[in-house]
Amino acid sequence: MTDDLFDGWRDKGLDEALYECRELLEDTSFPTVRRWRESGGKVLGHFQVYFPEEIAHAAGVLPFKVRGAPIEAIQADSRFGSYLCSILKTSLELALSNRVQFDMFVTHPICDAARNLAAVWGRNFPYPSQILYLPQNANSRAAVTYLRDEYARLQRSIEAVAGRLVNDDDLRRSIEVYNRNRALLRELYAIKRETPWLVSADEAYVLVAVGGLIRREEHNQLLDAMLPQIAARTNKKQDKMRLVFEGGFCEQPPLDLIRAIARSCYVVDDDLLIGLRWILEDVPGEGDALFNLAHAYLENSSYSPVQHDLRKPKEKMLIERIRNSRAEAAIITAAKMCEPGLEEQVAYLHALDEAGIPYFISEFEEKMTTFEHMEIQLQTFAENILFS
Amino acid sequence: MTDPQPAENILGRGNREGAELFRQWFAQLNQTAEQGGSAAYVFVMGSLAEILRTFNLPVVFPEINSLQTAVRRVAHEYLNQAEDYGYSPDICGYVKADVAVQLRGGQHPMGHIPKPAIAVLTNACNTYIKWAEIWERMYHIPIFTLDVPGTRAAGTQTWPGDPDFENDRRYVQAQLTELIALCERVTGIRFDIDRLREVMRHANEMSRGWKQVLDFNRNRPSLFNALTDGTIYLGVSNGLRGTAEGGRYFTNLVEEMAYKAAHGIGTLTDEKYRLTFVGVPCYPIFRRFNELFTQWGGTFVHSTYLWFASGGTNLGFEYDLARPLESLAEGVLISVRDAMDSMFFQDRALIEMIDSFHLDGVVYHPVKSCRTTSTGMADNRRALMAARDVASLFIESDMMDRRVVSEAQLKNRIDAFFEGLSSRKRQEAIAR
């Protein structure tokens, strides 16, 4: 097995290292995955939003976050109908065009469209494709034991692909790696929140997103090296509005869109790639590891429009996110044709109106290439608030 | 022994009585609303009527309310109102029509819809969950999501005794127990297991009959049109599930089908082409859509809609009344799972149906409003065509929004499809 899937950042200064991360993120040939496979590694592709990567990691399989890409869905278009979000099509295109090759694919019932993916994948590829049924009744007392056993079922599937069994020690070691990763990501978000002038929204996004492309140990090394350098920056605080970006839980906005937002605002919190940050605290190492992972998914987790939990009404969680990050406003966005995102927007807007929090509303698509219009509108929005 | 029924009493009885029962059901809902009563809001894929009727809760199916606005050609008024309220043109039309019904205080073309006291839904459709959250915000009522784990991968269904099945069953059964406790709180009525048995007995009669009715359409000529007549039967199977009237209706319907089969009586269409329909009907032009096929001699002998929109009761699962709760959990799990399979993994069932239902063609109807049923259809069709040499048609429109329904374009495609079918039949005849 190869040592480093991504070594371009090593021995480089912060800005150069960030540049390398950006290059990796925008490389739709996915060189890290290719390198892993060339060294004999197995790859498990898991569609957005959350996946218990620890289980794949414990089996020595590379978990790859399937989140679409800004590419043309040439072959995938003929597999789908017209009224669908882009991420669904481009994710399949990545596999059909061999840009990434998997040994297993897992999707989740996050939305009506995504839950079809296991069937579509299963008809198009010879390797196992399945749905992981994360509980949709998070409020049932039986949900956690159900999920524990569902994870055990998933583990058996992964073991069959990996060609090896996973024991408790394997799982505990993986949980430790991921706990460290979650802690580092929390640290990054604390910098965003407390000193947003030290790290722009697009830089922070890049640092989080590369985690879905490499082994988590490597990601930890990257963050361990970068975060102190970011904290040591001497950037001056600018007169920019603090805002929360909401709507990036599944399909990802283009990096240039995030950069355009960062030019006029400080994004102090967001739900971009929330699946990588879903679990909010360390998962206990002792005891039944699968139970602990299941418990953390349900009890120590963030929120998104694709998880229903009576304890977490999304609009109240958004207001909490805004208040906790001391944001002055919010960007409420949704990917085009994203049903859960678009449905949630209505509740968000009514709640923000009631709370008197200004918001900027928009839609995006991963393949967007022009942002000038949105940027001008956002600048006007920010100026109206800053100077009102 | 009773005298045989005269033919005029039997023929068409299913449609006559179905329409009447449907009207009565809505009249009762109207009366409940007028008297200030409330109801349980439920969905067609796993209504849990078995439990709700035990607590004497009237059931409202917002999906049915919504499609009725389209059938009555007023859906656009409701869709516009919901869009003005903030809902995107790109989300489910059923949701938006219902939002408008709620914003109008329950006013609907078929009467007054009572407000919800509780909403019960399954995860068979994710939009159900988002939809119920809207009522939660509007009315601050308890909403209960019965999470039914579906098939994980094509052809991997598990059955009682398998550890994976038992994990799913335990989860479903625990949730049913929680739902019962919630219903007790909402209604103030104590749970009566014998009343549950009685409701389940009626549901058994209905499921048994429904499966038989569907199987009868292997007959040549077909005995009913799955798209038009079938939708009437489906309305009764949902609205009256767990009632004595509903059970009896399906027993009578089986009798009607047996009579028609014995006497070689088919539908009004001179059946030249036997088709199956995949997806949700085009309600904005419901009758006309069907005519575009029947005028060529095409009859829909089956439809995946009759599977998933009956919550998988097409399987004919019958509850074991000696162990009602455990059996209810098993039945709900197996039936709702099958409803989901009918949307995600339907290719295998369709391939099997080509021979058993003597199909000449498969009509796929993806709709803008419903990603659950539409997302995988194009790929499904590819798999079907790779497996079998059967004609297929892929036509997109909508189940609610007439802005997305182009009758002229549909007709063009359908006419071309039948010309192809006709040519195929001629070539087959020459080859013989």
Side-chain angles (χ1 to χ4, degrees):
Chain A
M1 218 59 68
T2 187
D3 291 333
D4 269 337
L5 295 178
F6 172 49
D7 58 5
W9 62 275
R10 292 188 190 276
D11 305 321
K12 295 213 167 83
L14 177 60
D15 289 342
E16 273 184 289
L18 284 169
Y19 171 81
E20 293 293 338
C21 291
R22 201 157 35 238
E23 288 290 296
L24 174 65
L25 189 63
E26 294 190 314
D27 188 341
T28 54
S29 70
F30 298 93
T32 54
V33 182
R34 204 174 52 241
R35 210 163 293 144
W36 176 260
R37 283 185 64 84
E38 283 167 0
S39 66
K42 299 285 176 66
V43 180
L44 182 154
H46 60 88
F47 193 73
Q48 294 270 42
V49 171
Y50 171 78
F51 179 77
E53 288 196 354
E54 289 89 335
I55 302 173
H57 183 272
V61 171
L62 179 70
F64 171 81
K65 190 171 234 334
V66 179
R67 52 164 178 255
I71 56 172
E72 283 303 316
I74 296 163
Q75 297 178 67
D77 247 352
S78 65
R79 266 87 173 172
F80 292 117
S82 304
Y83 303 105
L84 291 175
C85 55
S86 179
I87 182 176
L88 218 65
K89 297 178 182 179
T90 59
S91 292
L92 183 66
E93 184 70 22
L94 289 177
L96 287 172
S97 62
N98 279 326
R99 286 181 172 91
V100 279
Q101 290 181 299
F102 301 123
D103 300 282
M104 180 173 176
F105 175 76
V106 181
T107 189
H108 321 277
I110 56 163
C111 71
D112 294 329
R115 62 193 309 178
N116 275 274
L117 283 180
V120 172
W121 230 274
R123 288 190 287 262
N124 283 280
F125 301 100
Y127 50 79
S129 305
Q130 63 166 261
I131 303 175
L132 171 66
Y133 269 92
L134 294 167
Q136 299 273 39
N137 183 355
N139 306 108
S140 170
R141 284 190 299 277
V144 67
T145 49
Y146 156 76
L147 183 57
R148 187 251 170 248
D149 288 348
E150 175 69 352
Y151 281 172
R153 184 197 61 74
L154 173 73
Q155 183 178 310
R156 291 196 302 276
S157 305
I158 294 174
E159 285 171 340
V161 169
R164 55 164 285 202
L165 296 177
V166 172
N167 61 37
D168 289 349
D169 287 338
D170 294 330
L171 276 170
R172 269 192 280 276
R173 272 194 296 275
S174 296
I175 286 173
E176 271 175 39
V177 170
Y178 277 78
N179 277 345
R180 176 67 188 147
N181 191 249
R182 285 185 275 266
L184 288 164
L185 292 175
R186 286 198 296 271
E187 202 179 312
L188 174 61
Y189 267 72
I191 296 173
K192 271 179 68 144
R193 189 176 58 247
E194 301 305 326
T195 50
W197 50 92
L198 295 183
V199 63
S200 65
D202 52 305
E203 289 173 336
Y205 177 76
V206 163
L207 281 174
V208 174
V210 292
L213 304 172
I214 56 179
R215 288 182 303 162
R216 212 44 67 99
E217 293 90 333
E218 280 189 70
H219 194 221
N220 288 347
Q221 290 168 13
L222 173 72
L223 293 173
D224 268 326
M226 295 297 113
L227 295 186
Q229 294 183 63
I230 290 170
R233 273 175 163 170
T234 55
N235 302 0
K236 290 238 164 53
K237 181 181 175 185
Q238 293 182 320
D239 192 18
K240 288 183 180 177
M241 185 171 62
R242 296 170 63 92
L243 56 77
V244 158
F245 180 97
E246 193 84 2
F249 58 94
C250 185
E251 183 169 323
Q252 297 301 290
L255 190 54
D256 285 340
L257 173 65
I258 302 173
R259 191 180 291 129
I261 293 168
R263 276 197 282 272
S264 53
C265 305
Y266 288 138
V267 178
V268 289
D269 204 351
D270 58 59
D271 66 346
L272 292 160
L273 292 170
I274 193 68
L276 291 174
R277 302 178 286 120
W278 182 255
I279 293 175
L280 299 174
E281 296 171 7
D282 282 359
V283 178
E286 68 281 2
D288 181 342
L290 293 180
F291 181 90
N292 293 343
L293 282 170
H295 187 268
Y297 171 79
L298 289 161
E299 302 299 327
N300 291 320
S301 50
S302 187
Y303 71 96
S304 93
V306 298
Q307 194 211 34
H308 170 70
D309 187 333
L310 294 167
R311 299 164 298 181
K312 295 191 274 191
K314 267 75 75 179
E315 64 274 34
K316 287 188 183 148
M317 299 302 288
L318 171 64
I319 303 272
E320 206 172 287
R321 175 173 278 160
I322 292 169
R323 302 243 194 266
N324 289 345
S325 59
R326 303 188 307 283
E328 300 154 87
I331 295 182
I332 304 298
T333 185
K336 284 188 194 301
M337 298 287 173
C338 168
E339 221 169 0
L342 290 167
E343 279 159 346
E344 211 61 65
Q345 272 192 343
V346 182
Y348 285 159
L349 304 192
H350 285 273
L352 291 169
D353 280 338
E354 208 171 292
I357 298 170
Y359 54 84
F360 178 84
I361 188 161
S362 73
E363 278 188 14
F364 69 85
E365 197 172 33
E366 58 186 357
K367 290 196 291 277
M368 281 170 79
T369 51
T370 55
F371 311 100
E372 290 83 0
H373 188 59
M374 187 278 302
E375 196 171 356
I376 290 168
Q377 284 182 323
L378 184 60
Q379 281 169 358
T380 309
F381 169 75
E383 283 164 10
N384 277 342
I385 290 168
L386 287 171
F387 301 117
S388 66
Chain B
M1 195 170 160
T2 54
D3 291 335
Q5 294 248 26
E8 61 269 26
N9 282 358
I10 294 181
L11 292 177
R13 184 175 61 191
N15 286 12
R16 281 194 308 274
E17 288 184 355
E20 180 54 28
L21 285 170
F22 200 73
R23 275 193 295 274
Q24 284 173 12
W25 171 44
F26 263 83
Q28 283 165 6
L29 291 178
N30 183 67
Q31 193 181 13
T32 301
E34 297 294 334
Q35 291 171 350
S38 52
Y41 278 24
V42 299
F43 294 94
V44 298
M45 291 191 285
S47 69
L48 276 304
E50 291 85 342
I51 287 180
L52 298 169
R53 289 201 187 281
T54 304
F55 290 94
N56 301 326
L57 277 161
V59 290
V60 166
F61 288 79
E63 290 158 295
I64 296 175
N65 299 345
S66 292
L67 74 86
Q68 284 295 330
T69 66
V71 171
R72 285 153 204 275
R73 297 177 182 263
V74 292
H76 57 284
E77 297 170 16
Y78 291 77
L79 297 178
N80 288 342
Q81 187 175 357
E83 287 172 15
D84 288 345
Y85 188 73
Y87 286 97
S88 164
D90 296 327
I91 69 160
C92 172
Y94 279 180
V95 173
K96 286 186 289 189
D98 174 67
V99 165
V101 168
Q102 304 306 330
L103 292 174
R104 294 173 184 210
Q107 290 306 323
H108 181 273
M110 288 187 73
H112 194 176
I113 306 296
K115 286 182 178 167
I118 183 175
V120 179
L121 54 139
T122 69
N123 60 317
C125 166
N126 283 61
T127 296
Y128 287 174
I129 301 172
K130 307 305 294 177
W131 196 341
E133 286 176 352
I134 296 172
W135 301 323
E136 187 186 20
R137 287 162 182 141
M138 278 184 171
Y139 299 110
H140 308 288
I141 51 154
I143 64 172
F144 189 92
T145 306
L146 184 87
D147 188 15
V148 182
T151 299
R152 273 48 169 210
T156 63
Q157 291 88 343
T158 54
W159 301 99
D162 183 295
D164 289 336
F165 182 89
E166 292 306 322
N167 181 39
D168 293 350
R169 190 197 53 73
R170 277 193 301 274
Y171 180 39
V172 171
Q173 190 171 336
Q175 293 177 83
L176 291 177
T177 307
E178 290 166 347
L179 174 60
I180 287 169
L182 178 62
C183 288
E184 284 185 325
R185 284 203 300 280
V186 168
T187 62
I189 297 172
R190 192 148 178 205
F191 175 60
D192 177 351
I193 199 152
D194 290 325
R195 171 77 179 122
L196 176 67
R197 281 197 181 91
E198 184 191 339
V199 174
M200 288 168 78
R201 188 176 300 113
H202 298 317
N204 278 351
E205 184 182 3
M206 179 179 271
S207 296
R208 188 164 54 241
W210 185 219
K211 182 177 187 314
Q212 287 176 300
V213 167
L214 294 174
D215 285 345
F216 260 120
N217 237 19
R218 294 172 203 267
N219 196 76
R220 291 178 106 154
S222 55
L223 308 177
F224 66 94
N225 184 314
L227 199 61
T228 51
D229 306 321
T231 301
I232 295 171
Y233 310 155
L234 197 56
V236 178
S237 87
N238 282 306
L240 282 88
R241 183 163 181 80
T243 65
E245 300 91 326
R248 198 179 315 119
Y249 172 83
F250 274 90
T251 300
N252 289 344
L253 192 57
V254 170
E255 185 187 42
E256 179 181 342
M257 294 303 150
Y259 183 90
K260 289 174 85 171
H263 292 83
I265 302 169
T267 65
L268 294 175
T269 307
D270 178 17
E271 185 173 292
K272 290 184 187 155
Y273 306 105
R274 293 169 65 86
L275 309 171
T276 194
F277 180 85
V278 183
V280 183
C282 181
Y283 283 119
I285 54 164
F286 185 58
R287 290 280 158 196
R288 178 63 187 143
F289 183 90
N290 183 58
E291 283 166 10
L292 294 174
F293 292 87
T294 54
Q295 68 193 14
W296 283 88
T299 315
F300 289 106
V301 301
H302 215 315
S303 156
T304 60
Y305 191 53
L306 301 185
W307 294 337
F308 63 77
S310 69
T313 59
N314 54 289
L315 287 180
F317 186 96
E318 292 187 47
Y319 302 119
D320 178 355
L321 303 184
R323 47 182 193 104
L325 272 179
E326 191 184 348
S327 183
L328 182 61
E330 251 173 45
V332 167
L333 174 54
I334 289 170
S335 302
V336 175
R337 186 179 72 181
D338 189 74
M340 293 191 264
D341 288 350
S342 303
M343 299 182 289
F344 310 135
F345 301 111
Q346 84 251 109
D347 48 318
R348 292 175 186 214
L350 290 173
I351 289 166
E352 186 278 324
M353 192 190 278
I354 291 168
D355 293 328
S356 61
F357 277 81
H358 320 291
L359 296 183
D360 297 299
V362 180
V363 177
Y364 290 90
H365 182 238
V367 291
K368 180 183 180 188
S369 266
C370 182
R371 271 91 173 175
T372 317
T373 58
S374 305
T375 298
M377 254 186 222
D379 187 66
N380 188 296
R381 183 192 186 203
R382 288 172 65 98
L384 179 90
M385 288 165 70
R388 294 295 300 268
D389 178 26
V390 65
S392 67
L393 174 66
F394 194 83
I395 40 174
E396 285 187 303
S397 75
D398 198 47
M399 61 198 192
M400 284 294 290
D401 192 343
R402 67 182 190 188
R403 292 170 296 193
V404 196
V405 179
S406 165
E407 188 181 319
Q409 276 183 19
L410 287 173
K411 184 175 187 315
N412 217 0
R413 301 282 312 281
I414 292 165
D415 287 352
F417 171 66
F418 278 106
E419 281 161 14
L421 269 181
S422 168
S423 162
R424 184 185 274 256
K425 285 241 171 187
R426 276 199 305 274
Q427 284 168 3
E428 282 169 2
I430 292 166
R432 279 199 294 270

